[in-house]
Amino acid sequence: MNPISDSKKLSLEAVDYVDICLKKGNLWEFLGKINSNRMLYQSAPFAWNIDADEKEPTIFRSYIYPHTFELVDINVYFNDGTDVKYKENIREKYYQTCKKIFDTCLGPNDLNPRDVFDTEKEIIDTFGCRDITKKEKMYNRVYKEDSIKLYGFNWEELSKSIGFKKTPPFFITNNLNYLKCCSDLMREKWNSKKWRTYWIFLLLKRIVRITTKWERIVYDFYGKFQRGQEELNTDKAVSSVLYMTLPFNKFLSTKYVENYENPQAIKYVNVLCNDLKLVFRDILKRNNWLS
């Protein structure tokens, strides 16, 4: 965990970083930098990841996923006259958490915690648009030349900002309507005052999460209140493993294999699994009720 003194400096740097990016005016470069951080990418309006291609499972390719929302119950974002008190309670708890994060990291500030919720509300509303198709397919390849022309999504700039030296010819997404409508929304509003608050919040929440004595702020709302988690992990060894697997996943796997690989155990498990498959197939062949 970071010491508080370091995290306060990081928090001020985070605000400066957001302001510099907004002044620079390149949405896709900024979005790429957020996506290149594995602790932040799922909070971005567009989340980039490398996954096995569903159509060609042996090849890993770029996927662009929709936003993962802060609130577990997405019904809270909608004022439809149902569960009014329940929704107001969750919103108020969320506002308090956002303000606590702002005040803890920055001290006195003029950031409005409701702006974070309102920005997410704008994002979730784009899920209802039907600008591209009335019937969505869960697997769509979007090619580089079509990305900006048809959807207003600058895949070339985003990919280069993430770290690609050469832009992949296409990416895969599961929601073309969201791709188009959220791209339109972001191009219009990403550097507004409200969205500035939202970007700052994303960076500060991560800092709070990894700071000594601050991590409970995130836990109290996201863990305890929303998910019913019974207690916050305080074991330093467990925390080290959890956080180090994010930036050093392949490194740790390789080092583990170097030190602890057991060829006999691997052979035993392979044989065991193959035997189980044979037994399972025999059971299916003997059963006539499945026909």
Side-chain angles (χ1 to χ4, degrees):
M1 291 290 177
N2 285 347
I4 291 175
S5 56
D6 284 1
S7 287
K8 286 188 175 182
K9 292 177 184 177
L10 290 172
S11 299
L12 294 174
E13 290 173 4
V15 175
D16 289 340
Y17 175 72
V18 169
D19 287 338
I20 290 169
C21 290
L22 296 182
K23 188 175 181 181
K24 192 174 181 181
N26 191 323
L27 162 63
W28 305 105
E29 180 182 341
F30 178 57
L31 195 60
K33 294 301 181 187
I34 291 177
N35 269 284
S36 63
N37 187 313
R38 295 291 84 187
M39 290 181 70
L40 282 176
Y41 80 102
Q42 287 185 314
S43 297
F46 291 108
W48 164 84
N49 204 20
I50 294 286
D51 285 317
D53 190 332
E54 294 173 36
K55 303 293 185 182
E56 300 177 82
T58 60
I59 303 174
F60 280 72
R61 291 193 165 108
S62 287
Y63 274 74
I64 298 294
Y65 294 103
H67 176 63
T68 300
F69 290 91
E70 293 282 308
L71 303 182
V72 172
D73 185 354
I74 62 172
N75 293 306
V76 178
Y77 291 103
F78 301 101
N79 287 318
D80 55 4
T82 62
D83 301 319
V84 176
K85 289 186 178 180
Y86 162 77
K87 292 177 180 179
E88 287 178 351
N89 179 47
I90 293 179
R91 287 174 192 158
E92 192 57 40
K93 292 273 188 183
Y94 185 51
Y95 298 151
Q96 292 171 8
T97 300
C98 293
K99 180 168 176 53
K100 195 167 186 179
I101 287 174
F102 290 144
D103 293 348
T104 300
C105 291
L106 304 173
N109 63 85
D110 60 353
L111 297 172
N112 185 353
R114 291 174 182 259
D115 286 348
V116 182
F117 178 87
D118 290 345
T119 300
E120 289 232 312
K121 177 68 171 66
E122 290 180 352
I123 295 173
I124 205 168
D125 284 344
T126 63
F127 279 87
C129 82
R130 291 293 180 267
D131 286 6
I132 300 300
T133 177
K134 291 183 179 179
K135 189 175 181 180
E136 281 283 1
K137 293 190 298 182
M138 295 302 292
Y139 180 96
N140 305 278
R141 288 186 177 185
V142 179
Y143 288 84
K144 180 172 60 176
E145 56 271 20
D146 293 332
S147 178
I148 189 72
K149 184 168 65 175
L150 298 180
Y151 308 103
F153 184 90
N154 198 325
W155 172 231
E156 188 164 11
E157 283 197 37
L158 179 72
S159 62
K160 288 180 179 177
S161 179
I162 289 171
F164 285 97
K165 292 182 179 179
K166 183 179 179 182
T167 299
F170 64 86
F171 61 87
I172 302 164
T173 189
N174 62 2
N175 194 322
L176 293 176
N177 285 309
Y178 178 81
L179 184 70
K180 170 68 166 61
C181 296
C182 192
S183 293
D184 292 344
L185 171 69
M186 290 185 65
R187 290 201 314 274
E188 178 186 356
K189 296 188 175 182
W190 80 282
N191 56 357
S192 65
K193 182 180 179 182
K194 185 178 292 186
W195 277 67
R196 173 183 179 266
T197 303
Y198 178 69
W199 299 126
I200 291 172
F201 171 77
L202 295 187
L203 300 184
L204 296 187
K205 187 180 75 168
R206 180 200 57 164
I207 293 172
V208 166
R209 184 180 171 192
I210 58 173
T211 302
T212 301
K213 297 182 180 180
W214 286 4
E215 69 270 28
R216 187 163 286 276
I217 298 172
V218 173
Y219 160 75
D220 283 343
F221 180 78
Y222 294 94
K224 185 177 181 179
F225 179 72
Q226 283 209 110
R227 292 178 171 83
Q229 185 178 333
E230 291 184 359
E231 190 48 66
L232 176 66
N233 169 64
T234 55
D235 188 300
K236 291 184 177 180
V238 174
S239 293
S240 298
V241 172
L242 289 173
Y243 286 114
M244 288 303 97
T245 54
L246 286 168
F248 300 118
N249 185 21
K250 184 177 184 297
F251 171 79
L252 291 175
S253 300
T254 303
K255 289 299 178 185
Y256 182 87
V257 169
E258 285 180 6
N259 287 278
Y260 300 109
E261 183 179 23
N262 185 336
Q264 287 181 322
I266 294 171
K267 185 177 180 181
Y268 171 78
V269 172
N270 280 329
V271 171
L272 178 65
C273 290
N274 286 326
D275 286 347
L276 286 171
K277 284 163 63 179
L278 291 172
V279 170
F280 182 64
R281 285 172 181 159
D282 287 341
I283 291 171
L284 290 179
K285 288 177 181 177
R286 289 198 302 269
N287 286 341
N288 54 25
W289 53 269
L290 285 175
S291 62

